[in-house]
Amino acid sequence: MRSPLDFFRKPELVIEPLKVQDCDAMARLHDESFSRPWNDGEFRSLLSQPPVFGFIARPQGMSDRPAGFILSRLAAGEAEILTVAVARSAR
């Protein structure tokens, strides 16, 4: 039996490594979050660099509507966050 509180529960997220195919979605999310958003070409350029990596979060069963992402880079033995964005609907 489902609880009445299930209505308020956020969907479970699937976390996956970023791929070049995610760049359009990343640009859309970035546009929702920043006054000077990065475009898909900038994301493609960054993801083509070996030390750059990240993760994208998608609600389970909704792969076309990501909830957010984080983009990072390895530098001098440390990781730095380049940018992070969360969809308005997931905040």
Side-chain angles (χ1 to χ4, degrees):
M1 174 180 245
R2 294 185 62 161
S3 163
L5 297 177
D6 286 345
F7 175 78
F8 299 103
R9 196 166 288 148
K10 297 271 185 191
E12 298 215 12
L13 298 174
V14 176
I15 310 294
E16 301 173 322
L18 283 171
K19 296 178 263 187
V20 173
Q21 297 89 327
D22 297 318
C23 290
D24 291 336
M26 292 164 56
R28 285 193 304 274
L29 287 173
H30 213 254
D31 187 51
E32 285 185 22
S33 302
F34 295 93
S35 59
R36 187 349 203 142
W38 298 353
N39 63 44
D40 62 329
E42 291 169 301
F43 284 113
R44 285 179 202 286
S45 176
L46 285 165
L47 277 176
S48 70
Q49 300 172 27
V52 176
F53 68 98
F55 298 94
I56 192 162
R58 294 182 172 92
Q60 207 163 32
M62 300 175 73
S63 63
D64 61 328
R65 300 184 61 198
F69 73 90
I70 185 166
L71 186 67
S72 302
R73 172 175 45 205
L74 292 175
E78 297 181 355
E80 71 173 317
I81 295 172
L82 298 174
T83 192
V84 62
V86 177
R88 283 189 188 116
S89 62
R91 293 179 193 163

